[in-house]
Amino acid sequence: MLSVYAEKFSSDDPLSGLVVGERPDPEVPDGWTTVQVRAASLNHHDLWSLRGVGLKEESLPMILGCDAAGLDEDGNEVVVHAVISDPSWSGDETFDPKRSLLSERHQGTFAEKVAVPRRNVVPKPTSLSFEEAACLPTAWLTAYRMLFTQGGLKAGDTVLVQGAGGGVATALITLARAGGLRVLATSRDEAKRARALEIGAHEVFESGARLPVKVDAVMETVGRATWSHSIRSLRPGGAIVISGTTSGPKLDDAELTRIFFLQLRVVGSTMGTRDELASLVTMLDATGTRPLLDRTLPMEQARDGFAAMADGDVFGKIVFTR
Ligand SMILES: NC(=O)c1ccc[n+]([C@@H]2O[C@H](COP(=O)([O-])OP(=O)(O)OC[C@H]3O[C@@H](n4cnc5c(N)ncnc54)[C@H](OP(=O)(O)O)[C@@H]3O)[C@@H](O)[C@H]2O)c1
């Protein structure tokens, strides 16, 4: 079947290990099912995989892609939950030490078909297109859990989203607005700041700029480049919720004094549960909120999408279609 896969790793030139070609159909273990992929979206995670982060050499070749929407074996429209937990695990699967994301241990979604455990298939409402639904399982689910589960935010709270152009960041802005929050966002780029306003931010600022108010929580995916600003933007008792470190994980100044003196909370967040994905799908169906698509490309042209993400030339999600 047509697949987009990693053949080798390169930290300097990740696209050199990317192949668009033929791979065998997926194996389907007991309790698993096959989804015919209609649309799959690109995440920074896929670039990390090509750099050899989170993926082992012995797993190559590996079909990339965490997110998909398509048709189940009975022809129902479904969204695929990307977190694969151990069969013996019960409860919140993000806490399962043996969990993996599609494309880490099991073949990913950038292919004609993907095999997943039966419970990883969530019904897709017809109000969402396949392209829109394919954006949800990684970036949008991560944003949902950051805001409403780990951040504990509620209507009327004020939130700062760092790095407005990112896949997770655009999801954070849109979902926060739909959830009744006051939304502040930063970006290094003026055009991205303007677009952040269009998708729901109330106010936008240059990265690192002083804010007019202290916020209840900061949603952090940028890491090193914005950490200090995030800590300084919080009200006493506020929370920084972190799910990524695009600009690097090592800090020049962790702002420890501020953290203890202002009694700030630093909360990690990773992906989300199947139930949170189902709630997110319902939220979009009920509110009419939709993921922002940067571009849609046929899967055969996946390389162009990877190149755009590697160049940082993206606002919203890149989706590959079949
Ligand atoms: N834990 C999880 O479950 C989970 C799930 C999904 C993603 N992630 C992680 O979250 C991060 C974001 O993922 P993504 O897919 O949203 O990535 P992305 O679309 O590439 O977005 C990254 C954003 O970071 C900002 N940025 C990058 N370098 C910066 C710098 N030096 N200074 C200031 N801002 C900078 C940029 O914003 P501007 O250009 O607007 O300034 C950029 O748009 C990644 O590290 C990813 O691995 C984690």
Side-chain angles (χ1 to χ4, degrees):
M1 61 176 180
L2 175 77
S3 307
V4 179
Y5 61 95
E7 183 182 58
K8 61 182 172 82
F9 302 136
S10 168
S11 49
D12 299 334
D13 181 15
L15 267 66
S16 63
L18 182 70
V19 183
V20 179
E22 291 290 314
R23 294 291 304 149
D25 279 14
E27 284 171 26
V28 188
D30 278 352
W32 288 46
T33 186
T34 308
V35 172
Q36 197 189 321
V37 176
R38 284 295 189 81
S41 77
L42 183 65
N43 291 289
H44 220 96
H45 184 273
D46 302 304
L47 269 183
W48 289 122
S49 298
L50 287 166
R51 293 190 175 105
V53 179
L55 188 56
K56 295 199 173 76
E57 189 96 39
E58 58 265 29
S59 304
L60 296 179
M62 175 61 80
I63 299 173
L64 298 171
C66 306
D67 297 354
L71 299 173
D72 72 7
E73 288 168 352
D74 299 321
N76 301 307
E77 298 190 355
V78 295
V79 187
V80 172
H81 180 42
V83 182
I84 312 291
S85 50
D86 191 78
S88 64
W89 183 262
S90 61
D92 184 328
E93 59 267 37
T94 62
F95 291 126
D96 176 3
K98 292 189 187 153
R99 77 184 185 280
S100 70
L101 266 189
L102 279 174
S103 80
E104 289 177 350
R105 211 170 297 150
H106 307 286
Q107 299 294 320
T109 58
F110 295 163
E112 290 173 44
K113 282 177 254 172
V114 61
V116 290
R118 275 187 204 288
R119 79 172 299 276
N120 282 54
V121 169
V122 173
K124 173 184 99 54
T126 50
S127 64
L128 285 173
S129 68
F130 284 112
E131 289 85 348
E132 290 163 346
C135 299
L136 304 183
T138 300
W140 279 67
L141 179 61
T142 301
Y144 181 92
R145 184 175 173 93
M146 288 175 77
L147 288 164
F148 303 119
T149 307
Q150 303 300 74
L153 290 167
K154 56 188 186 316
D157 288 345
T158 299
V159 67
L160 170 65
V161 178
Q162 298 280 22
V168 179
T170 51
L172 284 164
I173 292 169
T174 313
L175 285 177
R177 182 67 184 246
L181 281 89
R182 177 148 202 92
V183 187
L184 279 48
T186 66
S187 174
R188 296 163 297 174
D189 182 79
E190 191 177 347
K192 289 185 184 177
R193 290 196 292 275
R195 295 205 62 191
L197 287 172
E198 285 167 24
I199 62 167
H202 291 90
E203 288 181 87
V204 288
F205 305 89
E206 277 182 45
S207 298
R210 191 184 174 86
L211 305 181
V213 292
K214 298 288 184 190
V215 301
D216 297 301
V218 183
M219 299 296 122
E220 179 62 82
T221 58
V222 180
R224 180 180 184 173
T226 50
W227 181 263
S228 188
H229 180 253
S230 294
I231 295 284
R232 287 164 181 270
S233 300
L234 285 169
R235 66 158 170 80
I240 178 165
V241 183
I242 175 160
S243 74
T245 57
T246 301
S247 63
K250 296 213 171 104
L251 299 174
D252 303 319
D253 180 358
E255 303 281 359
L256 294 178
T257 308
R258 271 175 194 266
I259 289 175
F260 77 74
F261 193 67
L262 296 176
Q263 304 184 72
L264 305 178
R265 287 168 298 131
V266 175
V267 186
S269 193
T270 205
M271 295 298 291
T273 65
R274 183 202 184 277
D275 291 348
E276 285 166 339
L277 178 60
S279 298
L280 167 63
V281 167
T282 304
M283 181 179 176
L284 297 201
D285 189 35
T287 59
T289 303
R290 292 292 176 268
L292 179 72
L293 305 185
D294 175 89
R295 71 196 80 182
T296 302
L297 298 167
M299 204 171 277
E300 290 83 349
Q301 293 170 23
R303 179 174 289 276
D304 295 345
F306 276 82
M309 180 168 273
D311 291 344
D313 172 27
V314 176
F315 195 92
K317 296 289 289 174
I318 296 174
V319 177
F320 304 137
T321 52
R322 284 283 312 147

